[in-house]
Amino acid sequence: MASNVFKDQVYTELARVTTAISNPKRMEIIDVLSQKAYSVEELSKEVSMSVASTSQHLQVLKSAKMVVTSRNGNFVIYSISDDAVLKLVSSVKEFGFRKIAEIERLIQDFKTGQEGLETLTLDELRVRSKKSNILLIDVRPEEEYEAGHITDALSVPLDQLKKRMKEFPKSKTIVAYCRGPLCVMAGDAVSILKRNQFKALRMEEGYVEWKLKQYDLN
Amino acid sequence: MASNVFKDQVYTELARVTTAISNPKRMEIIDVLSQKAYSVEELSKEVSMSVASTSQHLQVLKSAKMVVTSRNGNFVIYSISDDAVLKLVSSVKEFGFRKIAEIERLIQDFKTGQEGLETLTLDELRVRSKKSNILLIDVRPEEEYEAGHITDALSVPLDQLKKRMKEFPKSKTIVAYCRGPLCVMAGDAVSILKRNQFKALRMEEGYVEWKLKQYDLN
DNA sequence: CTACTTTTCAATGTATTTATTGAATAGATA
DNA sequence: TATCTATTCAATAAATACATTGAAAAGTAG
């Protein structure tokens, strides 16, 4: 049957896409690259792996057309090829978080470990920022902020927070965000702020989630 | 670092989701189950594999919570757990079809093999069915039609088409659909109809694509 | 309770995937 | 062109995934 061969080929191609994201490290790499482009060496530090292994993972992602390369001097810079990749990963997460109880439990354990921080969603933020006085801060490294950030957010990298929080008005509620639900920086920021008598909340969603939401609004 | 352990665990869980769909046969199984529920034995025929292998694939999908089981007499009936699975798979396909040139080429080769049939999308169907006289037929097996079909479609399983087409008015344009872009039945139906002097078009999308679209409209 | 059917499990051999190390390459800079 | 550096390739060893066969189990029906 000729059409059977065709069918098998198509499913094999589709599986090539899912195989590319079937590895935990590669998922993490995509998440990191979703924030900003990286060289192989930088990235290997970010995901705690040898340069050679990182390179190999990147090649898998590249052959699945999920990342693209450019060159900057000696460095090869990897970046996400297309917003369709963000959507794909986002729908994997949506399914994963909803369905896999184990993930829910892990996140729960982790959150309660973080002093029971109060959290906020993007939608809640939009509503509250109209009513009350809110200061939205982006605690990711400055390069990631520069590569793209939520409108009206102030860049306050985590390692500068202690110095810079003196500028913050105590009258405002401070909302911190970072890379998204799996990222710990915003939680750390809120802890620090609270210890210093600020009203502070963490927003679980990050820049990527916000960006994807913008499409839906248009 | 405690948060590193957490992160690795979460990515491992997420990868469990993508690993479940990282195999061509499992993708095919999900597609088949998207049309209607099947027993292991039926399914193994549908995807041309041994019963034991099919069972093992189903267990992988079950442990990823993508399918659920029920019992009917001696048979264990597998079905898709949730429409979130359809959405996930649909976004994989969306990315796959858009990005992977090889798939595009395969589909192109396949289509041109099918006598250059004229095709129609769901959106075009909606527009045209208001203006002109259209008869929409569902050429999948009757059980799949009964498990769910596009509103106003007439069930005409492919193997009954030759007898039943006598009822069709020659004044109407006949639009045939089946399981979706990878399915060959609608193409076969159109070929037969054209050979018998009907005006006939194939719609590439199938019932699942239509169903997902209904959500977006609400 | 027994017989029967469908599904699952276990064992096997093969193939793929993965992280690491160390060597090779490609490309930029001088 | 020669040198230097980041990246990629190759080889390895361990682990995991895969399809098949045949046996075991689970559950229905009589």
Side-chain angles (χ1 to χ4, degrees), chain B residues 166-185:
Chain B
K166 289 156 197 158
E167 320 160 9
F168 301 167
K170 294 255 175 186
S171 61
K172 289 193 176 186
T173 299
I174 296 155
V175 174
Y177 76 89
C178 51
R179 292 171 179 161
L182 309 187
C183 173
V184 302
M185 292 186 287

Side-chain angles (χ1 to χ4, degrees), chain A residues 37 51 61 87 93 130 132 158 177 205 212:
Chain A
V51 173
L61 291 172
K87 285 196 184 179
K93 284 184 185 169
K130 280 179 192 157
S132 56
L158 189 55
Y177 76 89
E205 290 140 305
L212 286 175

Side-chain angles (χ1 to χ4, degrees), chain A residues 40-41 52 55 59 76 78:
Chain A
V40 180
E41 200 178 14
S55 173
Q59 283 164 68
V76 174
Y78 278 84

Side-chain angles (χ1 to χ4, degrees), chain A residues 120-136 152 172-173 175 217:
Chain A
L120 198 72
T121 67
L122 265 172
D123 291 326
E124 289 164 356
L125 174 70
R126 195 164 357 166
V127 173
R128 281 184 71 154
S129 63
K130 280 179 192 157
K131 283 197 240 165
S132 56
N133 237 347
I134 281 193
L135 177 65
L136 180 65
D152 296 332
K172 287 193 177 186
T173 299
V175 174
L217 298 178

Side-chain angles (χ1 to χ4, degrees), chain A residues 11-213:
Chain A
Y11 282 116
T12 302
E13 284 306 318
L14 283 179
R16 194 167 295 173
V17 173
T18 44
T19 302
I21 52 174
S22 70
N23 173 286
K25 279 291 178 201
R26 285 199 292 269
M27 279 294 258
E28 190 180 353
I29 287 174
I30 291 178
D31 262 2
V32 173
L33 290 183
S34 297
Q35 305 295 327
K36 92 181 231 301
Y38 276 90
S39 73
V40 180
E41 200 178 14
E42 285 178 302
L43 192 57
S44 77
K45 282 176 203 146
E46 198 70 34
V47 302
S48 319
M49 227 183 3
S50 72
V51 173
S53 299
T54 306
S55 173
Q56 293 189 165
H57 279 308
L58 284 167
Q59 283 164 68
V60 173
L61 291 172
K62 191 179 182 184
S63 82
K65 310 221 195 278
M66 304 187 105
V67 301
V68 291
T69 56
S70 62
R71 200 166 247 281
N72 180 8
N74 270 329
F75 297 93
V76 174
I77 307 295
Y78 278 84
S79 50
I80 299 290
S81 64
D82 189 315
D83 285 349
V85 177
L86 305 184
K87 285 196 184 179
L88 175 54
V89 170
S90 145
S91 68
V92 169
K93 284 184 185 169
E94 200 181 314
F95 179 81
F97 288 132
R98 256 188 63 191
K99 273 294 174 190
I100 310 294
E102 204 159 342
I103 291 188
E104 299 269 346
R105 218 192 52 229
L106 287 171
I107 291 178
Q108 208 48 50
D109 290 356
F110 178 69
K111 274 190 193 158
T112 54
Q114 282 211 0
E115 308 164 38
L117 297 176
E118 214 183 323
T119 61
L120 198 72
T121 67
L122 265 172
D123 291 326
E124 289 164 356
L125 174 70
R126 195 164 357 166
V127 173
R128 281 184 71 154
S129 63
K130 280 179 192 157
K131 283 197 240 165
S132 56
N133 237 347
I134 281 193
L135 177 65
L136 180 65
I137 64 173
D138 181 326
V139 299
R140 297 175 300 162
E142 191 152 10
E143 310 93 72
E144 295 188 11
Y145 176 88
E146 273 158 17
H149 58 265
I150 298 181
T151 309
D152 296 332
L154 181 69
S155 174
V156 185
L158 189 55
D159 54 15
Q160 296 175 28
L161 179 64
K162 283 184 188 170
K163 291 170 219 155
R164 301 216 9 223
M165 67 185 169
K166 290 158 198 156
E167 321 161 6
F168 301 167
K170 294 256 177 187
S171 62
K172 287 193 177 186
T173 299
I174 297 154
V175 174
Y177 76 89
C178 52
R179 291 171 180 162
L182 309 187
C183 172
V184 303
M185 292 187 285
D188 293 347
V190 170
S191 298
I192 294 172
L193 288 166
K194 283 188 147 179
R195 251 180 273 133
N196 288 275
Q197 284 76 46
F198 284 96
K199 280 171 288 177
L201 294 172
R202 168 178 185 194
M203 186 167 70
E204 287 191 48
E205 290 140 305
Y207 166 62
V208 172
E209 288 81 6
W210 175 81
K211 186 167 139 196
L212 286 175
K213 211 150 223 172

